[in-house]
Amino acid sequence: MEQLKELLSLYSKPTSYYTQFKKSSHHLLLKNRRFFKQFQYTVPSPTSYPYQWLWDSIFHALVLGHFSPKDAKKELLSLVSKQFPNGLIPHMIYWKKGKVINLDWGKNGTSSITQPPLLAYAVWKIYQKDRDQKFLEDIYPHLSAYYHYLLIDRDPRENHLIGIINPDESGEDDSPRFDIPLRLPPQHTQQENFKRRLNLIKQNFKTCHFDAPFCMKNFFWVKDVPFNAIIVESLGCLANIAAQVKHKEEARYFSKKALLIRDAMRKLMMEDGIFWSTYDQDYKKIKVLTWAIFAPLFAKIYTPEEARSAVKDHLLNPDEFYLKFLVPTVSRSEPSFNANGFWRGPVWMATNWFIYKGLVNYGFFNLAQELLESSIKLIKQSGFREQFNPLTGEGRGAKEFTWGTLIIDMIEDRLD
Ligand code: GLC
């Protein structure tokens, strides 16, 4: 504990690099802020991603919570304002027509798919900041409808694993975890990958008519580890929120569901000491080593012994994830590994954030610190970029990209 305090005091010194970093992070979030009528949101990157994205907005809100809870709440209320009648919260809201993406992923100015269900987690964290009961009451009906939709429509066989209908719903668009379900070899072009994903979007319109169970049964039946770990953690928060707004029955329901998903993950996803995503109706395991094996640390799903082995055998393994910069999204041992390949190897700050929180959960403080230092080093060297080559630290993809600001939450959440 003393050691932890000492490490954290490094960041509270007014002259430290961190003070500068905090300023530039807030500046970036303000620069990327947009308004539409009464709505306020943040674009992940002004040039590459000029819209509102679901999990990006959750990250923004988590960081904004440390600067201005009022802005964090506005970001989330804008996000839920385009919820579908069936409860789905779309992963993209266009608000205004941008130049970059003329592709229509949905209808009525939004996409037709969702992204990892971290929303209740963020709402609960932000509520801790100012105990704004009205915010909880305003947002709760949206949360309740969204998680009910996921728990029911995305689990048609009631096996208690929540399904995604498109790789993009994982937030990791072209991750090699989805190569097998997309019937693609480990090495293929980005265009080929995109074509398959786009085809799933078209099927969602044309053949499934937005009926997720039908879409899953016929086109893409994947139960993804991070998506399920994130919902487990978020359902715990949702149960707290439900209790706080006096929906006791629902609070019990959400807690129970979290336990059922946790058990189902163990039953259907666990092998060789780690959790694997599954595909098709018979839950075949997708044995591709990606950062997803660490996602259950975020929701404390591994036992302490299992966590120790996962960290020792994989995270600290130089033939897999222990590269010069932490943490590559794909193990270097995979034939699909590509240090410059979007979600096929580079470091992303959001996945680092999940792993960092997971390491702290289990008391791996030194390794968490190492991951934090590595993340800071990447931004120092290459700026606020979308991804980073794990071997050289070179920045890749979008510029003025907001996810690097998550470092603020890694540090501040522990200082609180
Ligand atoms: C890319 C990422 C996705 C993110 C979006 C906006 O598509 O893969 O996770 O939400 O960009 O930043």
Side-chain angles (χ1 to χ4, degrees), residues 66 158 179 208 332 362:
H66 301 292
E158 294 185 56
D179 289 353
C208 314
R332 78 177 330 168
Y362 286 84

Side-chain angles (χ1 to χ4, degrees), residues 176-189:
R177 287 205 300 289
F178 310 115
D179 289 353
I180 297 170
L182 289 177
R183 321 288 184 238
L184 283 167
Q187 280 175 16
H188 55 265
T189 62

Side-chain angles (χ1 to χ4, degrees), residues 228-280:
N228 281 275
I230 290 168
I231 205 169
V232 166
E233 183 67 13
S234 297
L235 284 170
C237 298
L238 185 55
N240 292 338
I241 299 168
Q244 196 62 38
V245 296
K246 314 245 174 322
H247 285 279
K248 294 220 170 91
E249 217 25 66
E250 289 208 331
R252 272 194 291 276
Y253 170 79
F254 292 131
S255 299
K256 196 177 120 204
K257 284 288 184 183
L259 287 177
L260 289 171
I261 297 172
R262 181 184 284 273
D263 290 348
M265 286 179 74
R266 188 158 283 282
K267 191 170 132 213
L268 296 166
M269 293 174 153
M270 176 65 121
E271 200 176 312
D272 309 324
I274 48 183
F275 291 91
W276 304 96
S277 298
T278 73
Y279 74 109
D280 281 356

Side-chain angles (χ1 to χ4, degrees), residues 148-168:
H148 270 111
Y149 162 78
L150 293 171
L151 292 168
I152 295 163
D153 279 42
R154 297 309 185 89
D155 179 25
R157 291 174 61 202
E158 294 185 56
N159 278 339
H160 309 300
L161 287 181
I162 309 305
I164 53 174
I165 59 170
N166 190 303
D168 291 70

Side-chain angles (χ1 to χ4, degrees), residues 44 49 53 55-56 115 168 171-173 342-343 348 386 401 403:
Y49 300 112
W53 262 265
W55 77 336
D56 302 68
Q115 260 185 341
D168 291 70
E172 299 170 63
D173 316 358
F342 208 56
W343 282 101
W348 288 68
E386 185 181 19
F401 191 69
W403 293 13

